[in-house]
Amino acid sequence: MTHRRVFFAFWLFVLLVWTKGGQAEASVPLFIQTKGASTPVYAYVANDVQKVGTIYSGRVFEVVDENENYFFIQYGFVKGMVKKDEAKLGRPYSFAHGPDRLRKSVITTKEAQVYIFQKGNKQAIGAIQSGVRYPVKAETALFYLIEFGGRDGYIYKHVTENDYGVPVLLYHHILEDQDEPLFRSTTTVPLSQFMQEMDYLKENGYATITPNQLLAYVQKEQLLPPKSVLITFDDGLKSTYIYAYPLLKQYGFQATVFMITGRMRPAPQPFDPKGLQFLSKQEIEEMRDIIAFESHTNHFHLSDKQYGPYLLFKPYEETMADLWASKEKVGATAIAYPFGAYNEQVIEMVQEAGFTMAFTTKKGTIYPGDPVFKLKRQWVYPHISIEQFEQLLRP
């Protein structure tokens, strides 16, 4: 019996040493609570740190990460930040979670109190600021079920609206109304229509964003304002400089041009509505104050009658050389597939070339978690009504 005890004690000692050495040690989750009656929750919103909510005293919330200054709690799509000097460690707790059945998101239209129900009593544990996108797990007649700081809670439906996602508008060519018949097609928008659409965005409080801000939103690193839109132009035509750039600058809007870099001109060309001219290096540099320039390939914006778009069938070495050239010429990190054509092999090459995101011509808006190399866009066709334009923004 004595030998057995010694043997057991020995292996218990070995197990403890092995565990303390980190090979089998399981991290113990942290929980925090407020120091005062309430504590703000912050998050990045389009690159700016903003208050997005509040946690109330008397409750604990699970910590998912931390750094020198902040505890991080799960806050909808992103990690909410709680300042360490405004919180203290709380008692560990095991939360019960309801199933994620709904898979939708809403935007708060007012400050939304987050409630739990204990013994039939409704108690507020925190609040979500107005204008925050938040995923929903389930619903009742009056409430949405959400997850808030590691625990399930309820918010009233009447203080939210549906989240329609973030639209990416696709334009190509703009001409004066009297010149538009010269290039009447699905890619040429009359100037009066473009002006009316930009007026609509301005008057209705839309915020224009950059590709990098959209990427952070898709990757669940940042939130975006409730009315966000990415305005894009394909090809890099001079009409963008003549008509779109001054109006965008007047309204304080940002936009993105997907440039066919092989058609970029060494010097500005005279503008002629009867033909197509492309942006010059000087014009591109002038427009960078409000416009991001990305790739639409270098010389591969072409299609073969038999095999289709070049990206789909050209040899690997030629394709990679074209992608690298277009990336280098304008410092691109995003690409729009020519003709919207791609497959899994194209995606692999685009990733290998160093692009972080890619845009298609498939219809729809963008939500957190969407595939970053299959991002959808809303094509703005000529002669649509303002009601039809609104449907592109809120489909």
Side-chain angles (χ1 to χ4, degrees):
M1 182 67 70
T2 301
H3 290 294
R4 288 182 180 178
R5 288 177 179 172
V6 171
F7 182 81
F8 177 79
F10 171 78
W11 280 109
L12 180 62
F13 173 78
V14 170
L15 179 63
L16 288 172
V17 170
W18 182 60
T19 301
K20 288 183 179 180
Q23 297 180 45
E25 186 174 9
S27 60
V28 178
L30 296 178
F31 293 81
I32 56 169
Q33 57 188 138
T34 66
K35 285 184 177 179
S38 64
T39 297
V41 180
Y42 301 92
Y44 279 94
V45 182
N47 297 345
D48 293 326
V49 175
Q50 298 180 16
K51 179 183 174 182
V52 294
T54 309
I55 55 175
Y56 296 156
S57 64
R59 305 293 172 182
V60 294
F61 302 89
E62 186 176 0
V63 174
V64 295
D65 201 357
E66 66 177 313
N67 63 20
E68 183 179 353
N69 300 311
Y70 292 100
F71 292 115
F72 296 91
I73 64 173
Q74 195 61 44
Y75 192 82
F77 288 117
V78 299
K79 293 178 180 178
M81 303 182 294
V82 177
K83 292 180 180 179
K84 285 190 168 180
D85 59 5
E86 296 180 350
K88 59 184 178 181
L89 293 180
R91 177 174 56 87
Y93 200 88
S94 179
F95 298 122
H97 294 287
D100 188 356
R101 297 194 303 265
L102 209 53
R103 298 189 182 278
K104 67 174 285 185
S105 56
V106 295
I107 300 176
T108 51
T109 55
K110 298 179 181 178
E111 184 178 72
Q113 299 297 312
V114 182
Y115 298 102
I116 59 172
F117 291 87
Q118 291 185 332
K119 298 179 180 179
N121 295 319
K122 183 179 67 176
Q123 301 175 18
I125 62 171
I128 302 171
Q129 291 285 108
S130 175
V132 174
R133 301 171 187 271
Y134 217 95
V136 171
K137 298 173 64 174
E139 65 179 318
T140 67
L142 295 177
F143 295 99
Y144 286 123
L145 174 67
I146 64 166
E147 191 168 323
F148 183 85
R151 58 192 304 166
D152 281 357
Y154 293 85
I155 58 174
Y156 277 111
K157 287 182 173 181
H158 72 265
V159 296
T160 70
E161 64 180 7
N162 287 334
D163 180 7
Y164 294 96
V166 174
V168 179
L169 300 179
L170 168 56
Y171 293 95
H172 286 81
H173 194 29
I174 299 173
L175 285 177
E176 292 272 9
D177 290 36
Q178 67 269 20
D179 295 327
E180 185 258 338
L182 299 171
F183 279 93
R184 179 157 288 174
S185 68
T186 59
T187 62
T188 304
V189 169
L191 179 59
S192 62
Q193 177 186 329
F194 181 73
M195 293 176 66
Q196 186 182 28
E197 290 163 355
M198 295 304 102
D199 285 342
Y200 180 91
L201 295 179
K202 188 68 173 180
E203 291 169 1
N204 286 275
Y206 276 83
T208 55
I209 59 173
T210 66
N212 286 336
Q213 289 171 336
L214 183 72
L215 179 63
Y217 156 85
V218 172
Q219 294 180 328
K220 302 182 181 180
E221 297 169 354
Q222 295 192 21
L223 294 169
L224 287 175
K227 289 184 175 180
S228 293
V229 60
L230 179 62
I231 302 172
T232 69
F233 299 84
D234 278 8
D235 300 343
L237 296 169
K238 189 180 176 82
S239 63
T240 306
Y241 176 79
I242 298 294
Y243 298 120
Y245 175 62
L247 187 63
L248 293 168
K249 193 165 185 176
Q250 175 186 332
Y251 282 163
F253 284 171
Q254 302 177 91
T256 298
V257 171
F258 290 104
M259 187 79 196
I260 305 172
T261 54
R263 301 179 190 178
M264 184 168 56
R265 312 313 301 165
Q269 296 177 291
F271 182 68
D272 182 358
K274 296 178 182 178
L276 293 178
Q277 302 84 44
F278 290 85
L279 292 169
S280 68
K281 295 179 180 179
Q282 296 95 317
E283 289 162 338
I284 288 173
E285 290 308 311
E286 182 182 345
M287 297 166 70
R288 283 189 185 273
D289 57 341
I290 62 166
I291 293 181
F293 286 88
E294 305 291 353
S295 170
H296 205 28
T297 71
N298 189 41
H299 292 295
F300 270 32
H301 194 286
L302 296 168
S303 184
D304 182 89
K305 289 183 179 180
Q306 182 176 357
Y307 298 107
Y310 274 24
L311 275 185
L312 298 182
F313 75 91
K314 283 293 185 178
Y316 169 84
E317 293 79 8
E318 290 183 32
T319 302
M320 292 303 300
D322 188 274
L323 293 173
W324 282 325
S326 72
K327 190 173 187 295
E328 181 180 356
K329 285 183 178 180
V330 290
T333 60
I335 186 170
Y337 302 117
F339 315 107
Y342 68 95
N343 55 29
E344 292 304 315
Q345 184 179 359
V346 169
I347 291 176
E348 290 178 6
M349 288 188 288
V350 164
Q351 289 178 281
E352 187 178 341
F355 292 100
T356 58
M357 59 197 305
F359 293 81
T360 71
T361 54
K362 290 186 176 180
K363 295 180 180 179
T365 54
I366 298 176
Y367 291 88
D370 280 354
V372 295
F373 290 96
K374 299 178 182 179
L375 297 174
K376 299 173 182 176
R377 289 194 287 176
Q378 300 286 65
W379 194 311
V380 184
Y381 290 95
H383 304 290
I384 62 172
S385 67
I386 202 64
E387 290 77 20
Q388 290 172 309
F389 179 73
E390 185 177 11
Q391 284 294 309
L392 297 178
L393 302 169
R394 299 165 66 90

